[in-house]
Amino acid sequence: MEKTPLGKTDLRVTRLGFGGIPIQTVAGHDEAVAVVRHAVARGINFFDTARGYTVSEEIIGEALEAHRDQCIIATKTPSRDVDGVARDFETSLSKLRTTYVDLYQFHNVMDDDSLAKVMAPGGPLEYLQMEQRRGRIRHIGLTSHRLETVVKAASTGRFATVQFPFNYIEDAAAKELYPLAHRLGLGVIAMKPLAGGVMRNTAAAIRWVLSQAIDVAIPGMASIDEVEANLKAAAAGVPGPDELAALERDRQEIGPTFCRRCGYCIPCPEGIQTNFIASSELFFKRSGWGRLTKSHVETFHKGLDCQACRTCEERCPYGLPLSEMVPAISRRMLDRINGLGLKP
Ligand code: SF4
Ligand code: SF4
């Protein structure tokens, strides 16, 4: 499969990578390991996971143990202090059954405060750089859902890669982030090439993303069939006019209420987690109801308290009608939880 340098790093990645979120939803540990092994056997060499993806690191670690030298493993920490990062890093090494991580990323750096914590003197970034000198980390990157933050982080020149949502309906990175990343030699990882599973024409969506200025796209894969379908799509080249038209129909249909998970809308004066609620239907569709916690249920109950003040709406850069969406989604989610008899 076609490989490309990941920015200025010494890593050469297959342009189709393996996103490690959905693998945690596969029923059966051995079945999940088999999906990852199939991806390696079929030539995929870039595997992205995170400390926060429950059993994803364990599954990927077991699957890749016998192929470690052929594979590039990327994982992430959500922590923003040295102790937490150190703990996460050691746990990841253990779960991934490896002595080094190829790309270690700060997960979902959401705003200036979070970036400042990561980059503080004597802080997490310096800690990871020490591990890099020890040979336990090859490169350090970061991921974000907020364009202005990831652009600011990229501009510092202290990260080797950036990972940001990028797909046919979320293409803002192409204008602001990618030219900067290419000028500075940062590796570009496209997360959510299928917009978190909402693109219906998945083959066209993958082909479109791979035709853009990215190094590697990481669709999540939860079955051998999905691995094969993604490989087939990746091999087929740029989408034709009919597929572009289908993608455009998706954009028209999904666009008006699609939450990009950027978090601009919070805080709500009523303490409602608007950003989580707005993206929750998709989150549970992708991750499965096994991720449901009591805290989520409380969040949906709280969503019913929306006063329609529209503070969140005014902050949402995508103009989502949150004063209507938040209570409506909360009600739908509670009805589904009750209807399914779920007890987190
Ligand atoms: S519209 Fe509702 S969810 Fe949004 S800020 Fe106001 S009270 Fe909170
Ligand atoms: S509702 Fe809007 S501001 Fe809030 S997370 Fe979603 S896209 Fe971002």
Side-chain angles (χ1 to χ4, degrees), residues 258-265 275 278 315-318 320 322:
F258 180 53
C259 170
R260 276 82 167 173
R261 305 164 302 282
C262 64
Y264 283 106
C265 52
N275 56 333
R315 293 187 192 132
C316 176
Y318 304 101
L320 300 194
L322 291 167

Side-chain angles (χ1 to χ4, degrees), residues 49-257:
T49 180
R51 196 73 288 285
Y53 301 164
T54 61
V55 293
S56 175
E57 285 183 323
E58 273 172 68
I59 292 163
I60 288 175
E62 184 174 335
L64 301 188
E65 191 175 19
H67 311 277
R68 184 66 187 93
D69 295 345
Q70 297 163 240
C71 298
I72 294 164
I73 298 180
T75 191
K76 321 181 185 81
T77 173
S79 296
R80 301 289 182 256
D81 62 82
V82 170
D83 287 350
V85 170
R87 200 168 45 244
D88 288 345
F89 178 56
E90 296 300 337
T91 307
S92 289
L93 288 179
S94 162
K95 301 275 183 198
L96 288 164
R97 304 190 188 191
T98 184
T99 55
Y100 66 95
V101 169
D102 299 282
L103 177 63
Y104 198 71
Q105 304 157 102
F106 289 103
H107 198 169
N108 199 13
V109 177
M110 279 291 288
D111 50 27
D112 286 357
D113 181 50
S114 189
L115 183 60
K117 283 179 181 154
V118 162
M119 299 188 66
L125 180 57
E126 290 185 10
Y127 171 79
L128 294 187
Q129 287 169 330
M130 182 271 293
E131 290 291 2
Q132 201 173 15
R133 290 190 291 276
R134 291 177 70 197
R136 301 211 300 168
I137 291 175
R138 292 176 73 184
H139 301 283
I140 301 166
L142 99 170
T143 81
S144 180
H145 290 267
R146 184 172 283 193
L147 193 57
E148 123 194 357
T149 304
V150 73
V151 165
K152 194 175 280 187
S155 307
T156 66
R158 298 185 69 188
F159 299 96
T161 62
V162 284
Q163 183 178 149
F164 192 77
F166 185 64
N167 53 67
Y168 189 81
I169 58 175
E170 285 180 282
D171 58 356
K175 285 201 189 89
E176 270 197 71
L177 177 62
Y178 293 173
L180 174 70
H182 294 312
R183 201 165 63 246
L184 298 176
L186 275 69
V188 170
I189 303 164
M191 70 161 104
K192 308 194 190 306
L194 304 175
V198 300
M199 305 297 288
R200 283 174 305 186
N201 192 333
T202 56
I206 285 182
R207 286 160 65 186
W208 183 85
V209 169
L210 292 178
S211 71
Q212 304 296 305
I214 59 139
D215 294 327
V216 53
I218 51 169
M221 305 186 209
S223 70
I224 287 172
D225 285 350
E226 283 181 8
V227 174
E228 284 300 318
N230 289 337
L231 285 164
K232 190 174 167 194
V238 296
D242 290 351
E243 288 158 318
L244 287 173
L247 291 173
E248 189 54 33
R249 281 196 296 277
D250 271 354
R251 192 210 304 261
Q252 298 296 331
E253 187 180 322
I254 298 159
T257 56

Side-chain angles (χ1 to χ4, degrees), residues 299-319:
T299 298
F300 294 130
H301 278 292
K302 187 81 185 149
L304 300 177
D305 294 340
C306 172
Q307 300 298 307
C309 71
R310 305 186 69 183
T311 304
C312 54
E313 269 183 35
E314 284 156 17
R315 293 187 192 132
C316 176
Y318 304 101

